[in-house]
Amino acid sequence: AATGDQGWTFETDDWIQSSPTVVDGTVFVGSGDSHLHAIDATTGEQEWVFETGDSVFSSPTVVNGTVFVGSVDTNLYAVDAATGDQEWIFETADSVLSSPTVVDGTVFVGSNDHHLYAVNAKTGDELWAVETGEAIYSSPTVADGPVFVGRIAVSYPHRTTPTKRIDDTTVV
């Protein structure tokens, strides 16, 4: 970063909308080629690749050795960060473009099915779901207990609607 010189380039079979996450010397990034890629941050060499059923536009979140990422195939995935092996899948009713947030063993993620989900990070079991009335593209944030999430107005795709605060399972 000091000079701006390019160190390496990694190519996928489709474009990348996902923001990369770097943990312990590995870059994790999703691609429109239906894969989650793990890349050595120093060399740019692929460490492993994990295939989903469709494009991965969600940005990966890595916590305690597990990568959490959503896919257009309607699933939230938990993948072992070291090996690329699937730990579990959580299925929603529509695309998962939202990037997961993990707090205290719970994964929070939005779906285009108009729900915010809380999922057990170890098992992939649903803890609760809240209907938001609109698709969720944004990433949830947890601050001092409540979960905050933005949602998009389907009838006005370029205008967002108000952020929601969610305490446990109650929309305030």
Side-chain angles (χ1 to χ4, degrees), residues 113-115 130-136 151-154 164:
D113 70 2
H114 303 190
H115 287 85
V130 173
E131 164 70 47
T132 63
E134 303 290 349
I136 300 174
R151 58 199 177 109
I152 191 163
V154 174
K164 288 200 172 206

Side-chain angles (χ1 to χ4, degrees), residues 109-129:
V109 70
S111 173
N112 286 9
D113 70 2
H114 303 190
H115 287 85
L116 173 68
Y117 292 95
V119 178
N120 182 297
K122 291 280 187 205
T123 65
D125 294 332
E126 181 178 313
L127 301 174
W128 52 257

Side-chain angles (χ1 to χ4, degrees), residues 69-156:
V69 69
S71 175
V72 174
D73 70 2
T74 75
N75 295 311
L76 169 66
Y77 291 91
V79 178
D80 185 285
T83 66
D85 293 334
Q86 179 179 301
E87 295 180 3
W88 52 256
I89 296 176
F90 176 78
E91 186 176 357
T92 73
D94 205 335
S95 299
V96 179
L97 304 177
S98 171
S99 299
T101 298
V102 182
V103 175
D104 295 333
T106 301
V107 183
F108 300 95
V109 70
S111 173
N112 286 9
D113 70 2
H114 303 190
H115 287 85
L116 173 68
Y117 292 95
V119 178
N120 182 297
K122 291 280 187 205
T123 65
D125 294 332
E126 181 178 313
L127 301 174
W128 52 257
V130 173
E131 164 70 47
T132 63
E134 303 290 349
I136 300 174
Y137 294 179
S138 71
S139 302
T141 297
V142 179
D144 299 323
V147 179
F148 296 87
V149 66
R151 58 199 177 109
I152 191 163
V154 174
S155 56
Y156 302 99

